Amino acid sequence: MIGNRDYIAVFDSGVGGISVLRQLRRLLPNERFFYFGDSANAPYGTKSTQQVRALTFAAVEEIRRTHPVKALVVACNTATAAAIAQLREAYPEWIVVGIEPALKMAADYFPGGRVGVMATAVTLREEKFDHLLHRFDHSCQIHKIPAPGLVELVEAGKADAPETEALLREILTPYAGALDALVLGCTHYPFVTGTIRRILGPQLVLLDGGDGTARETKRRLEEAQLLSPGPGMVEWYNSLEDPQILALSSQLLERK
Ligand code: DGL
């Protein structure tokens, strides 16, 4: 029997989903969160769809085995693209919410505008993204921007390092002055917004799906009358089982 004090499990291939956890905590401060980062297997974004699906299911099964769960937030665009339909089918008793690139928001804000979507290779090649693209590519000009190597740098705690800025310059310089908005379609990327703004200018609008995902989670919990009366807390697990990655995780949660 599912109860309101059961956990909201938040899953990502690593520390990226903490950018979603920040929004969830802001909207749902009374909840018990269990954050599962699979950093031992990150990045997911360069793997095959089958591999991403298998890793996601292995992690979610581990969560189910060890915690009473009322909701699962897949705080990873890549895992959502590869496995969300199958997860909903396998865990019908849970509220299952996935994150996807915030293209709708971009199209609403910038009808006829120029929109970049930065995401992993898996997200950009999945059928789910194709559907999303075709819903909005008549209303704005959409550029797919893969960013290989960026997830690894954030996982290594190098979000602010010169090598991260160098990589972002290489990826983004061709788009300087050519975009109205940039969608951050991977949950690791909100940790490098400062650097992106330095490269593309402070006027560029950056959009990510974290806030929408948190709002949808809250709405679904309210609807099911499963909001927790409190107190709230966060419990962490990371498959690297290394104190350094847990220190980085708490640091990213507090980061502005
Ligand atoms: N954070 C994940 C996402 O939102 C993917 C990172 C990875 O490649 O593992 O897509």
Side-chain angles (χ1 to χ4, degrees):
M1 182 67 184
I2 291 195
N4 59 4
R5 288 297 287 150
D6 290 350
Y7 286 85
I8 301 177
V10 182
F11 167 69
D12 179 50
S13 63
V15 297
I18 297 166
S19 65
V20 182
L21 180 62
R22 286 194 303 204
Q23 308 288 354
L24 285 161
R25 290 261 294 164
R26 191 174 53 77
L27 279 189
L28 297 162
N30 290 332
E31 297 295 332
R32 293 205 298 175
F33 292 99
F34 175 48
Y35 186 89
F36 187 119
D38 192 14
S39 296
N41 292 303
Y44 279 16
T46 51
K47 296 183 164 55
S48 73
T49 305
Q50 266 62 33
Q51 282 173 315
V52 173
R53 202 172 284 154
L55 287 168
T56 302
F57 265 88
V60 173
E61 251 319 282
E62 184 61 15
I63 293 170
R64 194 198 55 78
R65 209 178 54 75
T66 54
H67 288 72
V69 166
K70 60 182 178 183
L72 169 70
V73 178
V74 183
C76 177
N77 293 264
T78 307
T80 299
I84 198 75
Q86 292 80 357
L87 286 169
R88 290 206 169 101
E89 220 173 279
Y91 302 97
E93 68 281 21
W94 292 349
I95 291 168
V96 177
V97 179
I99 189 165
E100 65 178 17
L103 260 185
K104 179 178 181 330
M105 208 171 9
D108 286 349
Y109 290 170
F110 298 100
R114 302 158 305 168
V115 175
V117 185
M118 246 172 103
T120 68
V122 171
T123 301
L124 293 175
R125 73 158 187 252
E126 274 304 308
E127 205 181 310
K128 196 167 185 308
F129 184 76
D130 254 3
H131 286 305
L132 195 64
L133 195 70
H134 293 317
R135 265 173 69 200
F136 301 108
D137 62 359
H138 55 276
S139 53
C140 46
Q141 218 184 87
I142 300 169
H143 302 275
K144 292 187 188 181
I145 310 177
L150 187 52
V151 165
E152 289 89 325
L153 288 165
V154 176
E155 284 288 317
K158 293 182 173 173
D160 300 317
E163 59 209 278
T164 302
E165 174 150 357
L167 176 69
L168 280 166
R169 280 197 187 280
E170 202 182 303
I171 295 168
L172 293 175
T173 303
Y175 299 95
L179 296 177
D180 299 301
L182 179 64
V183 172
L184 305 179
C186 166
T187 55
H188 283 72
Y189 303 166
F191 296 119
V192 295
T193 49
T195 310
I196 293 175
R197 285 189 196 288
R198 256 199 318 280
I199 299 166
L200 292 179
Q203 75 294 337
L204 182 76
V205 173
L206 300 179
L207 301 169
D208 76 78
D211 176 55
T213 302
R215 277 189 285 115
E216 174 65 4
T217 306
K218 184 175 179 193
R219 191 190 67 74
R220 298 277 306 275
L221 286 168
E222 267 166 359
E223 190 180 73
Q225 301 191 334
L226 281 175
L227 284 175
S228 165
M233 50 93 88
V234 178
E235 191 181 315
W236 300 95
Y237 174 75
N238 189 293
S239 57
L240 270 186
E241 301 200 350
D242 172 350
Q244 252 181 0
I245 198 86
L246 293 178
L248 174 65
S249 301
S250 337
Q251 198 188 316
L252 291 174
L253 186 64
E254 298 313 321
R255 197 178 156 110
K256 290 287 164 269

PDB file of all heavy atoms in Angstrom, residues 12-13 43-45 76-78 120 151 186-188, ligand 1:
ATOM      1  N   ASP A  12      19.130   9.593 -12.058  1.00  0.00           N
ATOM      2  CA  ASP A  12      19.890  10.110 -13.204  1.00  0.00           C
ATOM      3  C   ASP A  12      21.102   9.210 -13.433  1.00  0.00           C
ATOM      4  O   ASP A  12      21.496   8.443 -12.544  1.00  0.00           O
ATOM      5  CB  ASP A  12      20.350  11.563 -12.941  1.00  0.00           C
ATOM      6  CG  ASP A  12      21.157  12.135 -14.108  1.00  0.00           C
ATOM      7  OD1 ASP A  12      20.695  12.045 -15.267  1.00  0.00           O
ATOM      8  OD2 ASP A  12      22.268  12.649 -13.885  1.00  0.00           O
ATOM      9  N   SER A  13      21.719   9.353 -14.608  1.00  0.00           N
ATOM     10  CA  SER A  13      22.943   8.606 -14.911  1.00  0.00           C
ATOM     11  C   SER A  13      24.087   9.040 -13.996  1.00  0.00           C
ATOM     12  O   SER A  13      25.115   8.386 -13.962  1.00  0.00           O
ATOM     13  CB  SER A  13      23.339   8.857 -16.359  1.00  0.00           C
ATOM     14  OG  SER A  13      23.638  10.238 -16.523  1.00  0.00           O
ATOM     15  N   PRO A  43      28.951   8.252 -18.892  1.00  0.00           N
ATOM     16  CA  PRO A  43      27.716   8.822 -19.425  1.00  0.00           C
ATOM     17  C   PRO A  43      26.825   7.774 -20.090  1.00  0.00           C
ATOM     18  O   PRO A  43      27.316   6.801 -20.655  1.00  0.00           O
ATOM     19  CB  PRO A  43      28.233   9.811 -20.470  1.00  0.00           C
ATOM     20  CG  PRO A  43      29.525   9.209 -20.955  1.00  0.00           C
ATOM     21  CD  PRO A  43      30.111   8.487 -19.775  1.00  0.00           C
ATOM     22  N   TYR A  44      25.522   8.002 -20.005  1.00  0.00           N
ATOM     23  CA  TYR A  44      24.552   7.169 -20.715  1.00  0.00           C
ATOM     24  C   TYR A  44      24.423   7.640 -22.171  1.00  0.00           C
ATOM     25  O   TYR A  44      24.066   6.881 -23.047  1.00  0.00           O
ATOM     26  CB  TYR A  44      23.165   7.303 -20.076  1.00  0.00           C
ATOM     27  CG  TYR A  44      22.898   6.473 -18.835  1.00  0.00           C
ATOM     28  CD1 TYR A  44      23.929   5.893 -18.099  1.00  0.00           C
ATOM     29  CD2 TYR A  44      21.586   6.278 -18.400  1.00  0.00           C
ATOM     30  CE1 TYR A  44      23.651   5.146 -16.953  1.00  0.00           C
ATOM     31  CE2 TYR A  44      21.304   5.533 -17.269  1.00  0.00           C
ATOM     32  CZ  TYR A  44      22.333   4.965 -16.544  1.00  0.00           C
ATOM     33  OH  TYR A  44      22.040   4.237 -15.424  1.00  0.00           O
ATOM     34  N   GLY A  45      24.678   8.922 -22.380  1.00  0.00           N
ATOM     35  CA  GLY A  45      24.346   9.565 -23.658  1.00  0.00           C
ATOM     36  C   GLY A  45      25.126   9.076 -24.856  1.00  0.00           C
ATOM     37  O   GLY A  45      24.796   9.396 -25.992  1.00  0.00           O
ATOM     38  N   CYS A  76      16.622  12.520 -16.041  1.00  0.00           N
ATOM     39  CA  CYS A  76      17.636  12.279 -17.055  1.00  0.00           C
ATOM     40  C   CYS A  76      16.914  12.239 -18.396  1.00  0.00           C
ATOM     41  O   CYS A  76      16.069  11.359 -18.615  1.00  0.00           O
ATOM     42  CB  CYS A  76      18.309  10.933 -16.763  1.00  0.00           C
ATOM     43  SG  CYS A  76      19.529  10.421 -17.972  1.00  0.00           S
ATOM     44  N   ASN A  77      17.209  13.189 -19.270  1.00  0.00           N
ATOM     45  CA  ASN A  77      16.552  13.225 -20.580  1.00  0.00           C
ATOM     46  C   ASN A  77      16.861  11.957 -21.376  1.00  0.00           C
ATOM     47  O   ASN A  77      16.016  11.447 -22.107  1.00  0.00           O
ATOM     48  CB  ASN A  77      17.048  14.433 -21.384  1.00  0.00           C
ATOM     49  CG  ASN A  77      16.619  15.754 -20.780  1.00  0.00           C
ATOM     50  OD1 ASN A  77      15.623  16.324 -21.178  1.00  0.00           O
ATOM     51  ND2 ASN A  77      17.374  16.255 -19.803  1.00  0.00           N
ATOM     52  N   THR A  78      18.091  11.459 -21.216  1.00  0.00           N
ATOM     53  CA  THR A  78      18.536  10.297 -21.979  1.00  0.00           C
ATOM     54  C   THR A  78      17.762   9.049 -21.567  1.00  0.00           C
ATOM     55  O   THR A  78      17.249   8.308 -22.415  1.00  0.00           O
ATOM     56  CB  THR A  78      20.054  10.103 -21.761  1.00  0.00           C
ATOM     57  OG1 THR A  78      20.709  11.337 -22.070  1.00  0.00           O
ATOM     58  CG2 THR A  78      20.613   9.008 -22.618  1.00  0.00           C
ATOM     59  N   THR A 120      22.260  15.023 -25.264  1.00  0.00           N
ATOM     60  CA  THR A 120      23.179  13.916 -25.555  1.00  0.00           C
ATOM     61  C   THR A 120      22.802  13.279 -26.899  1.00  0.00           C
ATOM     62  O   THR A 120      21.698  13.474 -27.412  1.00  0.00           O
ATOM     63  CB  THR A 120      23.116  12.827 -24.466  1.00  0.00           C
ATOM     64  OG1 THR A 120      21.834  12.184 -24.521  1.00  0.00           O
ATOM     65  CG2 THR A 120      23.354  13.389 -23.083  1.00  0.00           C
ATOM     66  N   VAL A 151      29.204  16.027 -20.171  1.00  0.00           N
ATOM     67  CA  VAL A 151      28.699  15.293 -18.998  1.00  0.00           C
ATOM     68  C   VAL A 151      29.880  14.782 -18.159  1.00  0.00           C
ATOM     69  O   VAL A 151      29.896  14.904 -16.928  1.00  0.00           O
ATOM     70  CB  VAL A 151      27.786  14.120 -19.456  1.00  0.00           C
ATOM     71  CG1 VAL A 151      27.549  13.127 -18.333  1.00  0.00           C
ATOM     72  CG2 VAL A 151      26.459  14.674 -19.971  1.00  0.00           C
ATOM     73  N   CYS A 186      19.795  18.307 -21.288  1.00  0.00           N
ATOM     74  CA  CYS A 186      20.462  17.285 -20.484  1.00  0.00           C
ATOM     75  C   CYS A 186      20.584  17.878 -19.096  1.00  0.00           C
ATOM     76  O   CYS A 186      20.954  19.052 -18.954  1.00  0.00           O
ATOM     77  CB  CYS A 186      21.839  16.963 -21.061  1.00  0.00           C
ATOM     78  SG  CYS A 186      22.905  16.021 -19.942  1.00  0.00           S
ATOM     79  N   THR A 187      20.262  17.083 -18.080  1.00  0.00           N
ATOM     80  CA  THR A 187      20.176  17.655 -16.726  1.00  0.00           C
ATOM     81  C   THR A 187      21.542  18.030 -16.144  1.00  0.00           C
ATOM     82  O   THR A 187      21.610  18.707 -15.119  1.00  0.00           O
ATOM     83  CB  THR A 187      19.437  16.687 -15.778  1.00  0.00           C
ATOM     84  OG1 THR A 187      20.092  15.404 -15.807  1.00  0.00           O
ATOM     85  CG2 THR A 187      17.986  16.537 -16.202  1.00  0.00           C
ATOM     86  N   HIS A 188      22.619  17.608 -16.788  1.00  0.00           N
ATOM     87  CA  HIS A 188      23.947  18.044 -16.336  1.00  0.00           C
ATOM     88  C   HIS A 188      24.238  19.503 -16.740  1.00  0.00           C
ATOM     89  O   HIS A 188      25.085  20.153 -16.147  1.00  0.00           O
ATOM     90  CB  HIS A 188      25.048  17.171 -16.942  1.00  0.00           C
ATOM     91  CG  HIS A 188      25.194  15.821 -16.298  1.00  0.00           C
ATOM     92  ND1 HIS A 188      24.281  14.817 -16.461  1.00  0.00           N
ATOM     93  CD2 HIS A 188      26.158  15.328 -15.475  1.00  0.00           C
ATOM     94  CE1 HIS A 188      24.683  13.738 -15.788  1.00  0.00           C
ATOM     95  NE2 HIS A 188      25.826  14.027 -15.181  1.00  0.00           N
TER      96      HIS A 188
HETATM   97  N1  DGL B   1      21.879  13.794 -17.408  1.00  0.00           N
HETATM   98  C1  DGL B   1      21.480  13.001 -18.506  1.00  0.00           C
HETATM   99  C2  DGL B   1      20.437  13.692 -19.382  1.00  0.00           C
HETATM  100  O1  DGL B   1      19.667  14.496 -18.895  1.00  0.00           O
HETATM  101  C3  DGL B   1      22.486  12.329 -19.394  1.00  0.00           C
HETATM  102  C4  DGL B   1      23.891  12.355 -19.098  1.00  0.00           C
HETATM  103  C5  DGL B   1      24.651  11.185 -19.638  1.00  0.00           C
HETATM  104  O2  DGL B   1      25.041  11.175 -20.818  1.00  0.00           O
HETATM  105  O3  DGL B   1      24.831  10.257 -18.852  1.00  0.00           O
HETATM  106  O4  DGL B   1      20.354  13.441 -20.547  1.00  0.00           O
END
